[in-house]
Amino acid sequence: MNCRISDLRRKEVISEIDGTRLGYVDDIIVDTKSSSVVAFVIFARIFFFGIFGKTEDYIIPWEKIKLIGEDTIIISCKTPKPEKRQKKRLFFGKN
């Protein structure tokens, strides 16, 4: 089965161990030197219009992906620990 990056965004990520639904693939980390996929990223969920904050992003390493199906992606680990997204610089000057 061939799959494009745009097709991956429609697939839900589910943990095989505990059955947790993590969300949908939002981004992919690619190693440009070896031209290989390193990880999938699931962005944080916002609670109640951002008033109650949001969760952290999930980064799922390629080694933990067990199966990419028609509608879902199965990972072979427990729910990974969320990681904070690095903030982008607002100005071009050095900080």
Side-chain angles (χ1 to χ4, degrees):
M1 176 174 99
N2 292 330
C3 189
R4 296 180 180 202
I5 293 174
S6 60
D7 296 335
L8 290 174
R9 296 195 73 183
R10 296 184 207 127
K11 296 182 188 286
E12 187 173 23
V13 179
I14 299 174
S15 172
E16 175 187 48
I17 305 297
D18 55 7
T20 305
R21 299 170 126 187
L22 300 174
Y24 294 88
V25 175
D26 291 306
D27 202 1
I28 296 175
I29 300 172
V30 176
D31 181 8
T32 56
K33 291 181 181 176
S34 65
S35 301
S36 61
V37 176
V38 176
F40 289 165
V41 180
I42 301 171
F43 290 154
R45 296 183 199 154
I46 297 173
F47 293 113
F48 197 68
F49 304 107
I51 295 172
F52 295 112
K54 64 179 182 176
T55 59
E56 305 298 331
D57 298 340
Y58 291 110
I59 298 178
I60 297 142
W62 181 254
E63 298 82 31
K64 300 294 182 184
I65 296 170
K66 183 171 184 181
L67 176 71
I68 299 177
E70 287 291 323
D71 299 325
T72 58
I73 297 173
I74 306 295
I75 60 172
S76 62
C77 62
K78 290 184 181 179
T79 305
K81 292 182 181 178
E83 297 183 19
K84 288 189 176 188
R85 188 180 315 169
Q86 293 187 6
K87 294 183 179 181
K88 295 181 182 177
R89 291 184 179 179
L90 299 177
F91 300 100
F92 294 107
K94 295 180 181 179
N95 289 340

